[in-house]
Amino acid sequence: MTVRTRARVSRWLVAAVVVLVVAGVAVSAYTGARATPVVVIGVGSTDEQRMLGALAQEALQRSGTPVEIHADLGGTRGLRRQALADQIDLFWDYTGSAWSLGLREAAPPADPLESWERVREADRDQGLRWLDATDANATFALVVRRADLPAPDDRRDLGWLAGELSSGRRTLCADADFIVRVDGLPALAAEYGIDTSGMPRKATNEDDAIAGVRNGECFAGLATATSGAAYAADLVPLSDELRVFPAFVVAPVARVESPADRSEVVRALGRLTAALDTATLARLNGRVVAGADPADVAGEFMDELDEGDTTPAP
């Protein structure tokens, strides 16, 4: 090869390298522009919040959405404060908590659908978008030991418990504020006809109420319907047929115009929210209380959804 030929080849090689570099930069820029944005999930400070956060993380990652977790953000107030300050894009909240603590409204609705619709509407002006609601209602509940329930064909709701508590031989363990608050035990007694005049009662926190029911010190205790601790202790929440307790519907909330406020995220979380109800969330929480890693529980739950999902891929 002559010197002139080598020089010509060298110029061709240099030109080719330049073209490839420019093309690579262009492809990189194009790919970067289309990269899926990271969704920052805010997680509260309870076992249930950690479980819900792990479920959202697993669902989004399986859909190809990268996720970042900001944990231990407190309760409803802390989560909403972080979202409104653009620090997180997505979090799980409860309609009753959002209504009374976030929006500072009185008398949270007891009907789950009404609760979700009213909170969703009110939060639009706050820059928060409530996504699909679950069938999980983390409302207050009185729990009893499974062994103390009546026969399967008998009533197993607060109407049955009202008769037991009215006998004067059954102890109720509940939060001190609930025992005296007008919309607490007095309201429950009025609606269900509970004679509280001779009813033994013990003021205690939720954990001690659950422990008291488990060891037989209390016949019934105040907890939540999705309590993992109650589930792990094999306690059963009794249904509130008259809807005295306000609804605490569990749902994901996205910050408007954030990476979570996209159809891909809504669709990915939609499969999850459709599969969650009160009993299911209590069961998942119970596993966390018993020592399981929320990430492992979430992965197994999503595996179950994937195995049972017959919906064609879009």
Side-chain angles (χ1 to χ4, degrees):
M1 182 181 293
T2 65
V3 172
R4 182 177 298 176
T5 301
R6 283 200 299 270
R8 187 181 299 120
V9 171
S10 297
R11 287 196 297 272
W12 288 345
L13 288 174
V14 170
V17 169
V18 171
V19 170
L20 289 174
V21 169
V22 171
V25 171
V27 169
S28 176
Y30 178 72
T31 303
R34 297 190 60 185
T36 303
V38 175
V39 172
V40 180
I41 300 177
V43 179
S45 304
T46 65
D47 287 332
E48 181 165 285
Q49 275 285 312
R50 285 187 279 273
M51 184 68 254
L52 290 167
L55 286 168
Q57 180 178 12
E58 186 71 21
L60 292 181
Q61 287 179 337
R62 292 191 181 207
S63 72
T65 299
V67 166
E68 180 181 321
I69 299 293
H70 289 191
D72 295 322
L73 299 182
T76 287
R77 287 194 182 101
L79 290 164
R80 290 171 65 92
R81 185 163 51 245
Q82 289 287 308
L84 295 175
D86 297 347
Q87 298 301 304
I88 60 175
D89 306 317
L90 181 77
F91 62 100
W92 291 85
D93 205 356
Y94 310 86
T95 55
S97 296
W99 185 253
S100 58
L101 299 178
L103 297 167
R104 298 182 180 179
E105 297 286 350
D111 178 77
L113 181 58
E114 179 189 357
S115 181
W116 179 73
E117 288 180 341
R118 289 177 67 177
V119 171
R120 179 186 60 171
E121 183 68 25
D123 258 342
R124 284 177 179 169
D125 295 336
Q126 304 294 320
L128 299 175
R129 179 185 174 194
W130 285 71
L131 307 185
D132 294 339
T134 70
D135 285 330
N137 186 359
T139 185
F140 298 108
L142 292 181
V143 298
V144 299
R145 291 186 298 187
R146 191 177 301 277
D148 289 334
L149 288 171
D153 293 335
D154 295 335
R155 293 179 63 185
R156 294 185 168 194
D157 58 10
L158 290 181
W160 161 75
L161 182 62
E164 296 292 326
L165 294 178
S166 296
S167 69
R169 300 187 302 272
R170 306 295 199 184
T171 300
L172 172 68
C173 288
D175 178 88
D177 188 46
F178 171 81
I179 291 175
V180 299
R181 200 176 62 231
V182 173
D183 59 348
L185 179 59
L188 201 69
E191 288 295 324
Y192 283 98
I194 304 173
D195 181 2
T196 60
S197 59
M199 183 186 74
R201 68 203 77 179
K202 180 179 179 181
T204 184
N205 60 38
E206 181 177 345
D207 289 340
D208 288 341
I210 290 171
V213 176
R214 184 185 61 231
N215 63 30
E217 179 184 356
C218 315
F219 185 77
L222 182 67
T224 63
T226 57
S227 168
Y231 184 92
D234 200 27
L235 306 186
V236 179
L238 300 175
S239 60
D240 175 19
E241 300 295 333
L242 300 182
R243 290 181 173 172
V244 177
F245 293 129
F248 284 75
V249 178
V250 182
V253 183
R255 179 167 57 84
V256 172
E257 297 183 357
S258 75
D261 191 20
R262 297 182 298 115
S263 60
E264 298 91 335
V265 172
V266 175
R267 185 164 53 248
L269 291 177
R271 291 183 61 242
L272 174 59
T273 55
L276 285 178
D277 57 23
T278 303
T280 300
L281 183 54
R283 173 173 61 86
L284 299 178
N285 290 338
R287 292 190 58 192
V288 174
V289 169
D293 187 328
D296 293 338
V297 178
E300 293 171 13
F301 184 71
M302 292 304 299
D303 285 343
E304 294 172 5
L305 284 189
D306 290 341
E307 291 170 3
D309 190 0
T310 58
T311 304

